[in-house]
Amino acid sequence: MSYIHVDVREFGGPECLDVVEDAQLPEPGPGQVRVKVLTAGTGFTDTIIRQGQYVQVKDKPPFTLGYDWFGLVDKLGEGVSALRVGQAVADLSVIGGYTQYLCVDAEQLVPAPDGLDPAAAVAMLLSYTTAYQMLTRYREIPAGSHCLVHAAGGAVGSALMELGQLMGLNMIGTASSGKHALLRRFGGIPIDYRHQDFVEEVGRRTGGKGVDVVFDTIGGKNWSRSYRCLKRGGLLVGFGALQLTTGEERVPSLLWGFFKLLLGWKLIPDGKSSCFYNIQSRREAKPDEFKADVAALFALLAEGKLSPAIDCVMPLRDAAEAHRRIDAAQVTGKIVLDCQSA
């Protein structure tokens, strides 16, 4: 039986993605399972892996792209007894998810409740777990607190907005005007970053007090401006460097931003703090925490308490088109690949 996967032929633009057909399904080794992948997530992280700029991926092309996926156990390898054929499972594979079938170590998998919508379920992996851990694992954020989210109309940003609403937080988000309806859907206050100064707007919206937490995926010089939005005792969480990968800033500016984020601001006696979040590094350090958080999100989804923003669902073969839309910032929420509608 043949199957297809989408590979990075060489580092570069969306045109470097190839649909590859293999004549035989992969066979699970000892301790592994074969998974029939139902959906794969797409997002900004996939695009920087495609460009060869993601430091945690050392593989050289060709390789199969795909940071997160959701599917069903298709075949058990020798020694696997904790899972069953047909069981819903998910994983952050970092690469490898843009495929119809894959083999993975059984210990890596997170079991999921039966009956989840595959498109919504895959959104829980990278986007919502990133948001959930940033909201819950660094400090307790009491209900009524004010939070600022940059790129709030994207996959992680919209997850922060929805989870923040669920936690009773006052969420303010920067986004282009076309994505403001999504922010309002999650009870957020939108700021049009193209036509409004977000530092001034945050001051106005909070009566000059500032916000309790900022979640900043932009990076570089933006971190300094986000830091100014914090009230005394506030926290800045950096979790990306969008401006570097889009060419808006260069490496020296990013490195200076990292210095201030991780060390420089700690020397200023203003009561504020800052940190940098990376989901893969945290998962490697605390794998049980990761599984517990994904399980908690799956439970909220099963209970109908979460409704992730899915921009659209596209066939696996259209992965390059999904990347073109992500590169052009034409995505509201998350594009999901339907791996079985190839």
Side-chain angles (χ1 to χ4, degrees):
M1 178 178 170
S2 65
Y3 74 105
I4 68 168
H5 46 94
V6 176
D7 288 4
V8 178
R9 179 179 68 256
E10 60 185 7
F11 291 132
E15 70 279 0
C16 296
L17 298 183
D18 290 337
V19 178
V20 179
E21 183 171 355
D22 284 353
Q24 298 292 329
L25 296 184
E27 288 296 322
Q32 292 188 325
V33 299
R34 184 171 70 208
V35 176
K36 179 181 181 180
V37 180
L38 301 180
T39 52
T42 69
F44 173 68
T45 306
D46 286 338
T47 68
I48 61 176
I49 293 173
R50 186 202 72 218
Q51 297 169 31
Q53 298 190 62
Y54 196 68
V55 296
Q56 290 182 301
V57 173
K58 307 300 182 184
D59 299 61
K60 301 299 182 184
F63 60 83
T64 302
L65 203 60
Y67 205 103
D68 53 349
W69 54 263
F70 175 84
L72 303 174
V73 174
D74 186 65
K75 186 175 182 179
L76 303 178
E78 180 183 349
V80 177
S81 58
L83 298 170
R84 56 178 171 78
V85 172
Q87 184 173 358
V89 291
D91 189 26
L92 284 183
S93 56
V94 183
I95 59 174
Y98 289 9
T99 184
Q100 293 183 309
Y101 291 88
L102 57 72
C103 292
V104 63
D105 290 343
E107 293 182 355
Q108 284 285 108
L109 299 176
V110 181
D114 292 335
L116 294 182
D117 173 71
V122 79
M124 297 299 105
L125 272 295
L126 177 57
S127 304
Y128 272 72
T129 303
T130 294
Y132 187 77
Q133 292 195 329
M134 290 193 298
L135 283 164
T136 63
R137 292 296 185 178
Y138 286 109
R139 65 166 57 173
E140 181 180 354
I141 307 176
S145 299
H146 287 79
C147 300
L148 172 64
V149 178
H150 288 293
V156 175
S158 60
L160 281 163
M161 299 300 285
E162 182 173 28
L163 288 168
Q165 179 190 45
L166 194 63
M167 294 170 60
L169 306 177
N170 296 302
M171 306 301 290
I172 303 170
T174 65
S176 58
S177 59
K179 300 180 181 181
H180 285 190
L182 173 64
L183 274 60
R184 293 190 181 99
R185 167 185 151 190
F186 293 138
I189 299 171
I191 296 175
D192 185 349
Y193 70 92
R194 291 175 176 167
H195 301 103
Q196 295 174 295
D197 184 302
F198 72 81
V199 178
E200 293 180 0
E201 283 296 307
V202 166
R204 186 175 69 85
R205 297 282 185 173
T206 62
K209 295 179 181 179
V211 296
D212 297 276
V213 188
V214 180
F215 301 99
D216 191 332
T217 188
I218 308 300
K221 296 176 181 177
N222 207 70
W223 282 333
S224 294
R225 303 193 69 231
S226 290
Y227 194 81
R228 289 167 53 194
C229 294
L230 292 172
K231 65 171 58 173
R232 185 172 183 84
L235 172 66
L236 168 61
V237 183
F239 65 104
L242 179 61
Q243 288 188 346
L244 175 70
T245 55
T246 58
E248 295 177 50
E249 290 208 44
R250 299 186 181 277
V251 171
S253 175
L254 177 69
L255 294 178
W256 175 238
F258 266 113
F259 170 77
K260 290 189 290 185
L261 184 73
L262 299 177
L263 179 61
W265 284 321
K266 298 182 188 302
L267 304 177
I268 302 173
D270 58 5
K272 301 178 184 180
S273 59
S274 57
C275 62
F276 189 82
Y277 172 87
N278 177 273
I279 190 171
Q280 193 61 24
S281 298
R282 191 173 184 96
R283 180 188 185 179
E284 291 171 359
K286 301 182 178 183
D288 291 340
E289 175 189 276
F290 172 82
K291 287 190 175 183
D293 289 345
V294 175
L297 289 166
F298 279 151
L300 289 171
L301 182 65
E303 293 166 9
K305 294 181 178 179
L306 294 177
S307 180
I310 305 299
D311 184 284
C312 66
V313 179
M314 303 174 69
L316 178 60
R317 288 184 182 272
D318 291 344
E321 176 58 25
H323 276 235
R324 279 188 280 270
R325 288 191 55 197
I326 295 169
D327 286 352
Q330 296 175 344
V331 180
T332 300
K334 192 177 190 74
I335 294 178
V336 173
L337 298 177
D338 182 343
C339 295
Q340 296 303 312
S341 293

